[in-house]
Amino acid sequence: MKWLVILGLVALSECMVKIPLTKIKTTQGAIREKQLLGKFLDEQSHSLSQNSDPDKKFSSHRLRNFQNIVYFGNITIGTPPQEFQVNFDTGSSDLWVPSVDCRSPSCSTHKRFNPQKSTTFQRLDQKIELIYGSGSMKGVLGRDTIQIGDLVITNQIFGLSQNQSSGVLEQVPYDGILGLAYPNLAVRGTTPVFDNLKNHKIISEPVFAFYLSSRPGNISTVMFGGVDHTYHKGKLQWVPVTQASFWQVAMSSMTINGKVVGCSHGCQAIVDTGTSLLVGPTHLVTDILKLINPKPMLDDQQVLSCDVVNSLPTLLLTINGIVYPVPPDYYVQRLTQEICFLSFQGGTETNHFGTSENWILGDVSLRLYFSVYDRGNNRIGLAPAV
């Protein structure tokens, strides 16, 4: 979520513009989000069934796909439960939702937690500030009961935002964020949700997994405590985590048409469900965009005619000796029938992940590959999604 991207659409003189990553210099725009959200809500249907084995502490939890841009699901907080939509984010470690004390415009467009209506809420004195690629929040910590599907955590510390930046956080269709990265990224003195699930043996295995579908009718899901192998094809290929903070792995190359376009001497990649795009160093991303899209539309290197998508090359990512193809159908976002958008973004050089070249593998690639996050062995499993 440090690099969450929302692609915003607005018709201005028949021009499509986008909301970019914070700190990245690119086209600015607004989002006609209410129209998109209305369409999205109409598309929702049945949820996935839960695992039927009572001895196996496993929970499969439905996620909603908003325009192939962001995935989120329901949790409840408090007694009686107050329901919220949250982004399950492997790129951060904190849980927070808006508070009734928040008067920022970005809070007023979302559900807000009311501590006075929860008999189990405990207010803590500690103030917090969290900064993401999509904005920031300031607030306080509290403690209460959290429920994700049939998984219940008591006395979970979480954030209550009292001030949120406008912009992307105001427009997103979810209320808050539930971070699933390692605990050293969390607010000091707090334990992330997944660590409490693991430490209190609420789940039987210290793993979670994501199936992020782009196909109509396929319900996306996050699963805790185990893996439903019906969501992937072939064996899971395990990749060691190189630094236990983000879900960070070593990547050996990125090629297009046999040409090395990134990671020429090896690099680090963060696997991040809270990022919409494939993000890398600006100069390399610029070269990739010029290679893929030599004749951009609207004076924007990321915008192209949808007529040419079928002729675009496949991006090949090599991770731990395995090649993971990303075809154009996945790295191109269709904005209208005629206008498409290349889902690459620069800017990782503004953050320091410990190496000179870093990439963030967001939902662009995770829609293709079922992903398993194994805290017990500090590794990520990848396999083609069904």
Side-chain angles (χ1 to χ4, degrees), residues 286-306:
T286 299
D287 291 343
I288 290 172
L289 292 174
K290 290 178 179 178
L291 177 65
I292 294 174
N293 187 24
K295 297 180 180 180
M297 299 177 65
L298 309 176
D299 295 322
D300 189 325
Q301 200 69 52
Q302 289 178 278
V303 180
L304 73 167
S305 170
C306 295

Side-chain angles (χ1 to χ4, degrees), residues 116-130:
Q116 295 183 348
K117 292 186 177 180
S118 174
T119 60
T120 48
F121 177 79
Q122 302 172 53
R123 186 182 180 94
L124 305 176
D125 292 333
Q126 185 175 346
K127 295 183 178 180
I128 61 170
E129 180 177 6
L130 301 175

